[in-house]
Amino acid sequence: MVQVNMETHLLGANELLARRNRQLFKDHKVLVINLMSSPGSGKTTILERTIEALGGQLRLGVIEGDLYTDQDAQRIEKKGVKVIQINTEGACHLDAAMVGKAYGQLPTDKMDLMVIENVGNLVCPAEFDLGEDFTAVVISTTEGNDKLRKYPLIFRQAKAVLLNKMDLLPYTDFNLERFKNDLDQINPSATVFMVSGRTGEGIENWTRWVFEEVKRKNPF
Amino acid sequence: MHELSIMQGVLDIVRDSAVQNGISRINKLKLVIGSLTMIMPDSLRFAFEVLSQDEMFREADLQIEEVPAFIRCHACNSETAQEDAYCFVCSGCGSNQVEVVKGREMYLDYYEGDCV
Ligand SMILES: Nc1nc2c(ncn2[C@@H]2O[C@H](COP(=O)(O)OP(=O)(O)OP(=O)(O)O)[C@@H](O)[C@H]2O)c(=O)[nH]1
Ligand SMILES: [Mg+2]
Ligand SMILES: [Zn+2]
């Protein structure tokens, strides 16, 4: 009998391609954010607001991950930003191969910031590195407090957490105190933004922070 | 999460390697899965049963080592197991300045086989 040592990562192919993407993003001096949330938390709305705020100062690009439609991509295109649509056709997350391919269709050496809107899902996207600089996770006040504890991995890994739909807070049982306590145990170093994609409340704090992150990666 | 396609990937990798090493029958596969991953060992076992029906894998045993989460505390330097997998707080001193040192593993460790 023979024993063969493997030590092979179960998502090894994705890890390899993610490293390749990360190197490309570095070479091309573009900051890449992987934006994630459950379906309907407000990723596209926040992205639209972000484009309105930063479009004049930064060269932007967007990759839109969606199961079947290109509705989100159309919303972004209307804002005058170059966007590539990935239809995962049933797959519940983006992977590094899809992103690498879509990235090649963008003006790669003429971008300062690229945002990848992942498929709405709090489980699988957490395990698939896309090569991004960091992840930002959106949770909305209408989803309830339990999402942090039910899907902690995705929140643990996030550099920024956006609590969206603050305009609806009075109509929900979402508890801000509990949210802060939970996040403090799961990911105390996350930067938190309380925003409303609807009213625009708090968006400026977020976009100013993103702008600083872009400058930190590539001082211009 | 995607246990079926992950297991298919594992079997493909082992099959390729076995062919290269002149091995025609696999006796054992060992995987290591941390508790802080989205992968469920039971689903992997089920996927293995479904997918291991051919000549090469029919006799094979799947062994999964489940690694509990461990955190290292930056405040008091202790290393402790985490019972509540997702409460990243030191059970010694209560600090939340901790680092995950174990629990994120997901890999194929080794396989055993025969050249028949
Ligand atoms: N009241 C309120 N509604 C919001 C806010 N942000 C987004 N919405 C609404 O919530 C719905 C979903 O918003 P989207 O931005 O499409 O959410 P998403 O996360 O991109 O959704 P998927 O891509 O399908 O996962 C839309 O009807 C938005 O108008 C907010 O801050 N307040
Ligand atoms: Mg969307
Ligand atoms: Zn401690």
Side-chain angles (χ1 to χ4, degrees):
Chain A
M1 190 174 66
V2 230
Q3 190 183 85
V4 182
N5 285 326
M6 301 296 283
E7 292 189 20
T8 312
H9 195 287
L10 297 195
L11 302 175
N14 189 71
E15 298 281 300
L16 181 77
L17 291 172
R19 275 201 294 279
R20 197 177 293 170
N21 288 351
R22 191 163 280 120
Q23 186 62 47
L24 279 177
F25 301 155
K26 190 170 171 223
D27 293 346
H28 294 153
K29 295 182 192 300
V30 53
L31 182 90
V32 178
I33 303 176
N34 180 0
L35 187 61
M36 306 187 283
S37 81
S38 8
S41 302
K43 296 179 293 299
T44 309
T45 309
I46 288 169
L47 198 43
E48 289 169 320
R49 293 278 183 179
T50 307
I51 292 167
E52 288 163 11
L54 295 178
Q57 307 160 63
L58 298 173
R59 298 167 301 174
L60 307 179
V62 170
I63 293 178
E64 273 294 339
D66 238 317
L67 289 164
Y68 299 107
T69 74
D70 66 348
Q71 294 179 23
D72 285 358
Q74 284 180 22
R75 284 166 63 183
I76 299 304
E77 211 152 42
K78 278 205 191 99
K79 297 277 166 197
V81 164
K82 183 84 181 144
V83 52
I84 303 297
Q85 172 73 48
I86 300 175
N87 278 137
T88 60
E89 283 166 14
C92 53
H93 61 272
L94 295 177
D95 65 34
M98 300 176 194
V99 166
K101 201 164 148 229
Y103 177 64
Q105 299 167 51
L106 284 163
T108 51
D109 51 355
K110 296 188 187 64
M111 284 191 294
D112 306 306
L113 170 65
M114 177 170 88
V115 180
I116 304 167
E117 180 180 337
N118 217 313
V119 181
N121 176 357
L122 291 176
V123 181
C124 310
E127 293 287 12
F128 285 83
D129 186 2
L130 306 178
E132 72 273 355
D133 289 277
F134 60 83
T135 62
V137 179
V138 183
I139 170 180
S140 55
T141 57
T142 50
E143 287 167 65
N145 275 94
D146 57 353
K147 294 302 168 292
L148 265 80
R149 291 198 162 273
K150 280 188 179 161
Y151 308 94
L153 180 63
I154 201 161
F155 290 100
R156 171 80 188 168
Q157 294 169 335
K159 181 158 182 172
V161 174
L162 295 100
L163 178 59
N164 189 35
K165 308 196 185 178
M166 284 300 284
D167 55 303
L168 298 181
L169 184 66
Y171 311 103
T172 69
D173 61 358
F174 195 88
N175 184 323
L176 280 185
E177 203 58 37
R178 218 183 114 197
F179 167 73
K180 284 177 192 154
N181 285 338
D182 285 348
L183 196 59
D184 216 40
Q185 297 196 342
I186 292 170
N187 183 356
S189 51
T191 307
V192 179
F193 300 95
M194 312 230 178
V195 302
S196 166
R198 177 65 49 85
T199 67
E201 166 195 350
I203 292 287
E204 200 192 330
N205 293 332
W206 153 252
T207 55
R208 207 182 308 122
W209 181 84
V210 170
F211 187 79
E212 290 306 319
E213 289 296 319
V214 171
K215 274 205 300 195
R216 211 147 61 96
K217 183 171 186 187
N218 295 300
F220 37 70
Chain B
M1 165 202 84
H2 305 295
E3 283 78 1
L4 203 61
S5 60
I6 285 174
M7 187 47 79
Q8 185 64 60
V10 168
L11 296 187
D12 289 347
I13 287 170
V14 171
R15 192 188 315 272
D16 283 355
S17 166
V19 168
Q20 272 174 28
N21 287 289
I23 295 167
S24 50
R25 198 160 68 205
I26 309 296
N27 302 321
K28 182 175 166 187
L29 283 175
K30 159 96 184 285
L31 301 183
V32 180
I33 306 291
S35 68
L36 299 182
T37 65
M38 291 294 172
I39 299 179
M40 292 169 60
D42 275 345
S43 302
L44 284 178
R45 288 186 193 99
F46 173 73
F48 180 73
E49 248 171 61
V50 173
L51 296 171
S52 62
Q53 298 301 328
D54 64 337
E55 200 65 28
M56 185 173 269
F57 290 104
R58 196 175 303 144
E59 307 287 310
D61 254 350
L62 174 66
Q63 192 195 333
I64 301 182
E65 179 187 340
E66 299 182 40
V67 184
F70 266 81
I71 56 175
R72 182 183 299 129
C73 174
H74 290 304
C76 73
N77 256 322
S78 65
E79 213 170 278
T80 47
Q82 278 315 92
E83 299 298 325
D84 175 3
Y86 280 108
C87 176
F88 298 92
V89 174
C90 174
S91 53
C93 75
S95 168
N96 61 4
Q97 297 304 310
V98 301
E99 172 193 349
V100 173
V101 287
K102 275 190 206 160
R104 293 286 295 139
E105 298 78 1
M106 50 164 111
Y107 63 94
L108 164 64
D109 193 6
Y110 64 82
Y111 69 89
E112 288 173 3
D114 285 319
C115 325
V116 277

